[in-house]
Amino acid sequence: MSEAPKWFKDALIDGLRALMVLHLPGGPGLETVKYTRDVWVRVLWDAPIDWQEETDRRRIDRAFLSLARQADRWPTPRALLEQLPRRPQPRALPSPPMSREQRERNRQRLREMWASLQEAKGK
C-alpha cells in the first residue's frame, strides 16, 4: 500500500477535527487522537477507490459535513465512505452528426421493423 498524499491526510485531519469539536460519545481521547487520525488515513487510503484530489477532496469534505449533521456517536471510517457523494459525471459527448442519407436509411429500417412486428402480431 502506498502512502497517502498530503491533500488526503489534510482532508481527513480537517474532518476529524470538526468531529472532535462535537464531543460525540465514543470519540477518541486526547491521548489517542494522533493514532485515530493515522488509522483513518490508512483505512480510507486502502479503500478500493482511485482517490483523486481534483474530485475527492470536496467529496471528503462533504462526507464529513454529513457525518457531523447526522452522527450521535463517534463514526467509523466506513461511515465516512457511506456518506461520500457520487463523483461528478463527465459531460456526455454530443450525438454524432447524421447525414440525410443515414437518417432516411434509419427511418426505412424502423418502418420495416414496425411492419414485421405488425405482421407477427397478426399471426
Side-chain angles (χ1 to χ4, degrees), residues 59-73:
R59 292 174 63 224
I60 291 169
D61 293 344
R62 291 181 65 201
F64 271 113
L65 283 173
S66 180
L67 279 178
R69 265 193 315 275
Q70 298 175 15
D72 52 5
R73 294 195 51 75

Side-chain angles (χ1 to χ4, degrees), residues 6-99:
K6 183 177 182 338
W7 74 264
F8 187 80
K9 291 177 185 177
D10 290 346
L12 292 182
I13 290 167
D14 292 346
L16 290 171
R17 282 181 182 152
L19 292 178
M20 289 291 296
V21 170
L22 299 176
H23 300 287
L24 296 168
L30 289 176
E31 63 281 353
T32 62
V33 168
K34 184 181 179 318
Y35 183 68
T36 300
R37 178 203 64 201
D38 293 345
V39 168
W40 275 62
V41 168
R42 280 200 333 255
V43 168
L44 292 169
W45 183 249
D46 193 48
I49 297 173
D50 180 23
W51 296 106
Q52 301 294 321
E53 182 175 11
E54 305 80 44
T55 55
D56 295 326
R57 172 66 196 235
R58 181 166 167 76
R59 292 174 63 224
I60 291 169
D61 293 344
R62 291 181 65 201
F64 271 113
L65 283 173
S66 180
L67 279 178
R69 265 193 315 275
Q70 298 175 15
D72 52 5
R73 294 195 51 75
W74 185 261
T76 62
R78 176 182 173 180
L80 183 79
L81 290 174
E82 291 170 352
Q83 294 299 318
L84 272 178
R86 299 182 113 203
R87 279 194 171 127
Q89 297 299 310
R91 289 189 355 205
L93 294 174
S95 299
M98 192 180 304
S99 69

Side-chain angles (χ1 to χ4, degrees), residues 105-119:
R105 278 195 306 268
N106 290 341
R107 284 187 183 125
Q108 182 58 37
R109 287 184 61 214
L110 286 171
R111 284 191 288 269
E112 291 168 4
M113 287 189 291
W114 182 254
S116 175
L117 286 171
Q118 293 302 318
E119 184 180 313

